Amino acid sequence: TDEIGRGWINYRDLAVSHLGGIYERLLEYSLVHEVQAVDDYRDLPEINRIVARPASFARKVSGSYYTHDDLVRLILRESVGLLAEERVETFGKLVASWKKRTSLNPGDWDRLDKADPAGAILELKVCDPAMGSGHFLVALVDDLADRVLESVTAAQLLVAAQPWAAHLVELGRPWQSPVVARVAHIRRSIKGQAQVHGWRVTDAQLDDRHIVRRMVLKKSIFGVDKNLMAVELAKTALWLHTFTVGAPLSFLDHHLKQGDSLHGEQLQAVQHDLQALGMLFQQAELDRLEFAARNLAQVADYTDVDIAEARLSKQLADAADAQVAPLHALLDFWRAMRWLQPLWPPEKPEKLARLGDDNLRMALAELFSPQRNLVTTLDAGRVQGTGAGADAANALMQHTRELAGREHFFHWWTAFPTVFAGPTPGFDAVIGNPPWDMLQMQEVEWFAERLPAIAMQSRAADRKALISRLQKTNPEVWQQFEAASERSTAEQRVVRTSGDFPLL
């Protein structure tokens, strides 16, 4: 409050978690463009300005809530902690099963390496489906890195105490976790790059914890958020937290993505629906997922020790995205049709001809022609040719693309093909502070940010009377309100009828 009480702030002392608080505060305001005429000076141009207007319910609407550190640690301990303990116990049981042996054959040593708990913990796949500014993910990186390093030490001590490993101890070459060699390789690579470029890098700046955190970051961490600003902020938080001198920022786009976690389609289910409608779904389309999975698995194994490796990560991820883009076009269309049509998808081909109005029926007849590859058509975004059917189909595809872009549908099975492929598909753990509110249009909250006079009405009847007058007095707000109401109704119907949430 005065010059004497002021002091310098060292931003070095700010924790990465503070970004979450900043993010929350930013959500409490919306930027509005205002144009103000200057009445007294008619020859002067209008005043254009950007105004920060309070948006009191923005955090609730977006599900953006900061979670206290104690709760974060509790959730990680009771989820990821238990998974890590299971892998340590599995390794201990394997070692215990050999307690009567005096030596191991080469195959047994291979089994020991494969059962290494540190490596098994690094294979965990953990997701925050509403990551916000990445507060949970930052804490998760530290938690997993610490567990990896602890299990490395514990496993090496356990093996060294066994009779069948005594000869290695005597030779001064005790068994080590394969993760140790991987860490050493990464350290050598970073040092080599530093020497080439003349950077000064010390061993203290490249300790095991720094390097393991980079490994965890690329391999184990997954996050999704509907808000693009949140996704970028989460990347920033993770970059700052895992920064390693002498190495570039890690490529994170393969595991941190924008999208609505609640709304997406399963490719296998859509494939079944297409077959019921008599449409072909070629094996080549499924091969796209295998290609993407191989690329993204390679990206996850890189630790981006130099610029070339980081760029290669991006190239591989971009190629994977290009491969699955046609599948995403199909899934976006399918989800959008659920929003637009209560009876979608129809169970039989003949029911297509009974949906909607004439334009919709013409569009569907064009798109679902037996001679047409629907995936290719939706990926191209346009039906070639003239006529009412082609025009209707093109208009429908444009409408569904706009709806999918606005709602940010997120198709988990194709967005993360490495997670949902193989014999045990899915994440090992889903953590975080997810959106909890009801999917319901709240008139008071909606109008509080636009027309407070309506929101402040104590009686619902008075409020609805004022709302109905908006059609004449303020048609712009009326149209926005109608659109928001229709969206809320459609979303409630979709989550009830899509089969994704059977307990609702």
Side-chain angles (χ1 to χ4, degrees):
T1 56
D2 54 61
E3 292 294 335
I4 299 175
R6 292 180 182 177
W8 292 102
I9 296 175
N10 191 337
Y11 284 90
R12 179 189 62 192
D13 299 327
L14 281 177
V16 171
S17 59
H18 290 139
L19 288 173
I22 297 170
Y23 170 59
E24 280 193 87
R25 293 295 176 265
L26 288 174
L27 284 177
E28 291 180 353
Y29 296 89
S30 59
L31 295 180
V32 180
H33 176 222
E34 289 187 353
V35 178
Q36 182 178 352
V38 184
D39 295 333
D40 296 335
Y41 302 94
R42 298 177 184 271
D43 57 331
L44 294 178
E46 295 174 329
I47 296 176
N48 285 265
R49 62 179 182 176
I50 301 296
V51 179
R53 183 174 294 170
S56 54
F57 295 99
R59 275 193 287 171
K60 182 177 181 181
V61 171
S62 65
S64 303
Y65 291 91
Y66 180 79
T67 310
H68 195 276
D69 285 332
D70 290 342
L71 183 56
V72 171
R73 286 193 292 269
L74 171 65
I75 291 175
L76 293 180
R77 186 172 69 246
E78 295 300 321
S79 57
V80 178
L82 299 181
L83 293 171
E85 289 172 8
E86 287 177 2
R87 281 141 185 81
V88 172
E89 290 173 3
T90 298
F91 184 79
K93 290 177 181 178
L94 177 63
V95 173
S97 69
W98 296 336
K99 63 181 179 181
K100 295 182 180 180
R101 293 196 187 185
T102 57
S103 64
L104 298 182
N105 59 46
D108 291 330
W109 286 105
D110 290 340
R111 284 183 63 193
L112 194 69
D113 287 348
K114 290 179 181 178
D116 171 42
I121 293 171
L122 279 172
E123 292 298 324
L124 289 174
K125 295 178 175 62
V126 185
C127 179
D128 183 347
M131 63 181 169
S133 59
H135 186 46
F136 265 91
L137 298 183
V138 169
L140 177 60
V141 168
D142 282 349
D143 187 88
L144 280 177
D146 289 343
R147 294 183 187 280
V148 166
L149 294 172
E150 289 168 6
S151 63
V152 164
T153 302
Q156 291 177 172
L157 291 174
L158 179 62
V159 171
Q162 306 306 310
W164 38 263
H167 66 290
L168 293 177
V169 177
E170 292 173 0
L171 292 172
R173 294 187 288 105
W175 177 85
Q176 288 186 323
S177 162
V179 171
V180 173
R182 175 72 172 143
V183 169
H185 170 73
I186 294 171
R187 183 182 291 110
R188 285 195 302 271
S189 299
I190 294 175
K191 282 186 172 181
Q193 286 293 314
Q195 188 172 7
V196 169
H197 295 284
W199 302 329
R200 183 178 178 182
V201 179
T202 66
D203 288 339
Q205 293 168 322
L206 294 178
D207 64 9
D208 290 351
R209 194 164 187 263
H210 271 93
I211 294 173
V212 171
R213 284 196 303 188
R214 288 180 69 90
M215 297 168 70
V216 169
L217 182 64
K218 267 313 270 295
K219 201 170 183 66
S220 303
I221 305 299
F222 295 79
V224 180
D225 201 280
K226 190 173 182 178
N227 188 315
L228 181 59
M229 175 184 170
V231 177
E232 296 303 320
L233 197 56
K235 291 179 190 176
T236 302
L238 288 165
W239 279 329
L240 290 172
H241 192 64
T242 61
F243 176 72
T244 304
V245 175
L249 301 177
S250 298
F251 178 80
L252 300 178
D253 291 0
H254 64 310
H255 282 181
L256 301 184
K257 295 179 178 287
Q258 181 190 16
D260 188 334
S261 298
L262 300 179
H263 287 288
E265 295 289 332
Q266 298 184 40
L267 182 61
Q268 189 175 8
V270 174
Q271 184 183 2
H272 178 270
D273 293 338
L274 283 171
Q275 291 171 346
L277 294 173
M279 298 293 291
L280 295 176
F281 192 89
Q282 300 174 351
Q283 180 61 37
E285 304 300 343
L286 293 177
D287 292 341
R288 294 177 177 277
L289 275 182
E290 294 183 10
F291 174 90
R294 287 195 301 270
N295 270 25
L296 294 177
Q298 193 173 350
V299 172
D301 284 335
Y302 288 144
T303 50
D304 300 342
V305 296
D306 55 34
I307 291 293
E309 198 168 276
R311 287 174 177 164
L312 181 57
S313 290
K314 185 179 187 309
Q315 290 170 7
L316 290 168
D318 287 346
D321 288 344
Q323 279 293 318
V324 297
L327 298 179
H328 280 155
L330 170 66
L331 300 180
D332 278 346
F333 175 81
W334 218 252
R335 196 66 174 190
M337 288 302 297
R338 288 191 193 274
W339 282 58
L340 300 174
Q341 285 297 315
L343 299 179
W344 189 268
E347 299 172 354
K348 299 178 182 179
E350 53 267 27
K351 291 188 176 182
L352 279 173
R354 304 174 194 169
L355 289 177
D357 56 18
D358 291 341
N359 279 336
L360 178 61
R361 288 193 288 272
M362 282 193 298
L364 294 177
E366 186 75 30
L367 290 174
F368 285 82
S369 168
Q371 293 78 29
R372 187 178 300 284
N373 185 324
L374 184 60
V375 175
T376 304
T377 302
L378 292 172
D379 183 41
R382 184 165 185 82
V383 171
Q384 298 298 325
T386 58
D391 291 342
N394 291 331
L396 177 62
M397 284 190 288
Q398 180 177 354
H399 187 27
T400 56
R401 280 198 309 272
E402 291 172 353
L403 176 58
R406 185 169 64 249
E407 296 299 331
H408 302 292
F409 298 143
F410 191 76
H411 315 293
W412 291 89
W413 283 258
T414 48
F416 296 132
T418 55
V419 175
F420 293 94
T424 56
F427 293 102
D428 295 290
V430 178
I431 62 168
N433 186 358
W436 52 268
D437 205 2
M438 293 185 296
L439 298 177
Q440 184 175 340
M441 177 69 174
Q442 301 289 344
E443 290 181 353
V444 172
E445 297 178 2
W446 196 88
F447 280 103
E449 299 174 4
R450 295 164 178 84
L451 296 174
I454 294 180
M456 292 171 63
Q457 296 299 314
S458 57
R459 294 175 48 193
D462 294 339
R463 185 172 65 251
K464 291 187 180 299
L466 291 175
I467 292 173
S468 64
R469 294 176 196 167
L470 289 175
Q471 194 168 4
K472 294 181 178 180
T473 61
N474 197 332
E476 182 179 356
V477 173
W478 166 260
Q479 291 174 2
Q480 294 173 2
F481 176 73
E482 284 290 286
S485 300
E486 291 173 4
R487 181 199 176 279
S488 176
T489 301
E491 183 176 29
Q492 290 179 64
R493 173 175 49 76
V494 169
V495 297
R496 282 198 307 267
T497 61
S498 64
D500 295 335
F501 307 101
L503 296 182
L504 287 180

